[in-house]
Amino acid sequence: MGLLRERWIADAFDRTDRTRFVPDRIRLPGDSDSGRTIDRTEEPEAWAAAVWDPHTSVVTQLDDGATPLDHPGGGDFTSSVSALDIVLEKLHHLDLRGGHRVLEIGTGSGYHTALLAHRTSQVTTVEVDPRLYEQARKNLSPTPVHLVLGDATTTVPEGPYDRIISTAAVHTHLPDAWRAQASHGAVVVAPYTTALVHGGALLVLDGYANCLHGRFAGSASYMLLRAHRPAPVDVSRLPDAYETHRSPIDPEQVIGRGWGQTFALSLALPGIGMDVRTDDDGRRLAQLWDRHGSVTVLNIADWRDEGAVTWWGPRNLWAEAIEAYARWRADGQPHFTRYGITVVRDRHVLWLDVPGKRVLTF
């Protein structure tokens, strides 16, 4: 595996038994195996293959507390042991050295924590779920780490820290507590996602005197931090007043050209979510919304028709998406890894290629 090219990562991988940190019953994610639970006692070879598969995470918890056995046919994934490839990729970007003070957000089963502890003896790890906290405490014994039960999005054990790494995704905004506890010269590695597209990217930031500053390093699909899960938006209760118009552009040009383009556009549309579905009449519809009462519904196939776009509330979200698309085209259709973010307290600045080329502040 190419990501084992760094000696300390290879040593940590070799000396940490991943099977110690995975429960006997796991769930496999993905369309082909959705809903399948593997019991180690009944299918030991399938269990081992899943645990050591370099490209697949194994789900260990559903619905914030249930095991895969409790919900054999469904439930929301709420904790996992991440796939080896992305774990090693994140450790590579962390650039961890012996003696560094490390803050890990999301202990989970403790596997990722154990890898960090092979490099430095100063690891503080924070877990918000009491059950996972207890499991990790047992799994990590007698590894010398500082394990804390709490919500690291609001309260972080006192630093400063040389390295901060999250095992769950942030939604649009990085917690200011992380910025405040990052030392000058720190590295912060966190999966980052938006509401517009499923999945996300890996954000790698450097710490300065009062800010974090860096860019996206590649794709990374993670469960959200619990405090960053968006509250449900009820789009069934819409005001009586609405407006309609044609779409000035084929929607497939904007939202139908793959995940990479959509994610790049989503960076310029913070706080806007989208679902694409087929209604009872067989029409393919895109529905966009924000959390302040704006909803836009777009008839994708009949986009030229008057009334193809219907919007409620103060914002025409499809018009904003088109504006973001036009700006992206004018900038040369940049790949999402050309974008970066600067975090200063509660203000985030999205930029392209260099910090001086600001896209927006949010």
Side-chain angles (χ1 to χ4, degrees):
M1 198 182 303
L3 292 169
L4 293 175
R5 60 187 178 272
E6 294 178 58
R7 174 60 64 85
W8 85 264
I9 296 179
D11 287 346
F13 175 79
D14 288 340
R15 297 176 184 178
T16 304
D17 182 4
R18 184 170 164 91
T19 62
R20 283 185 50 225
F21 298 89
V22 181
D24 288 344
R25 297 180 180 91
I26 56 176
R27 176 75 58 83
L28 292 182
D31 293 339
S32 62
D33 293 304
S34 180
R36 184 186 176 199
T37 298
I38 299 178
D39 189 320
R40 185 180 191 177
T41 59
E42 297 176 359
E43 301 179 85
E45 293 183 0
W47 183 91
V51 170
W52 291 106
D53 185 329
H55 309 301
T56 303
S57 301
V58 291
V59 177
T60 57
Q61 186 197 69
L62 296 92
D63 298 335
D64 293 336
T67 70
L69 184 63
D70 297 327
H71 290 272
D76 292 329
F77 300 160
T78 53
S79 188
S80 70
V81 181
S82 298
L84 283 166
D85 55 359
I86 191 59
V87 168
L88 302 180
E89 178 75 16
K90 289 169 65 184
L91 292 178
H92 165 70
H93 287 294
L94 193 64
D95 190 26
L96 183 59
R97 311 292 173 85
H100 275 162
R101 294 189 67 186
V102 180
L103 173 66
E104 177 192 50
I105 294 95
T107 317
S109 72
Y111 176 68
H112 189 269
T113 316
L115 295 174
L116 295 171
H118 271 284
R119 183 62 161 169
T120 177
S121 61
Q122 300 187 74
V123 177
T124 296
T125 179
V126 183
E127 175 55 55
V128 70
D129 185 301
R131 295 188 187 184
L132 295 177
Y133 170 87
E134 287 299 328
Q135 293 171 8
R137 186 176 60 82
K138 295 175 183 177
N139 291 343
L140 287 166
S141 179
T143 307
V145 300
H146 182 207
L147 181 58
V148 177
L149 177 63
D151 181 358
T153 64
T154 55
T155 304
V156 171
E158 186 175 357
Y161 296 96
D162 305 298
R163 299 291 186 265
I164 298 175
I165 187 166
S166 179
T167 66
V170 300
H171 185 268
T172 308
H173 287 77
L174 270 80
D176 192 58
W178 302 1
R179 178 204 60 80
Q181 294 297 336
S183 66
H184 183 76
V187 176
V188 179
V189 177
Y192 181 100
T193 191
T194 69
L196 193 71
V197 64
H198 297 293
L202 195 62
L203 187 57
V204 182
L205 302 157
D206 295 320
Y208 293 89
N210 66 346
C211 71
L212 300 174
H213 180 80
R215 65 175 68 240
F216 294 97
S219 60
S221 183
Y222 273 77
M223 301 171 195
L224 282 166
L225 291 162
R226 293 194 182 182
H228 279 208
R229 294 174 186 168
V233 176
D234 185 359
V235 296
S236 65
R237 298 180 179 180
L238 298 172
D240 294 334
Y242 61 89
E243 296 187 38
T244 63
H245 60 84
R246 298 183 180 91
S247 173
I249 189 173
D250 183 352
E252 296 289 0
Q253 297 292 320
V254 182
I255 60 176
R257 295 301 177 90
W259 178 88
Q261 174 179 314
T262 307
F263 182 76
L265 295 178
S266 78
L267 295 174
L269 298 165
I272 296 179
M274 181 180 70
D275 280 330
V276 177
R277 59 183 176 83
T278 302
D279 69 4
D280 295 338
D281 297 323
R283 299 178 303 173
R284 190 160 169 259
L285 305 176
Q287 183 171 261
L288 298 93
W289 69 89
D290 69 7
R291 306 207 169 276
H292 306 289
S294 294
V295 176
T296 303
V297 177
L298 168 66
N299 187 328
I300 295 174
D302 300 326
W303 60 274
R304 294 182 181 87
D305 294 348
E306 187 63 46
V309 179
T310 306
W311 59 286
W312 296 261
R315 301 170 65 187
N316 183 338
L317 302 178
W318 181 238
E320 293 185 28
I322 292 173
E323 182 180 351
Y325 172 74
R327 183 168 56 239
W328 176 77
R329 288 291 300 266
D331 287 333
Q333 305 179 49
H335 191 266
F336 71 87
T337 53
R338 289 174 55 189
Y339 290 94
I341 288 180
T342 298
V343 181
V344 184
R345 294 188 182 275
D346 59 351
R347 181 167 60 91
H348 288 49
V349 178
L350 176 70
W351 44 266
L352 175 64
D353 292 329
V354 294
K357 192 173 181 181
R358 184 183 69 87
V359 177
L360 82 160
T361 300
F362 58 99

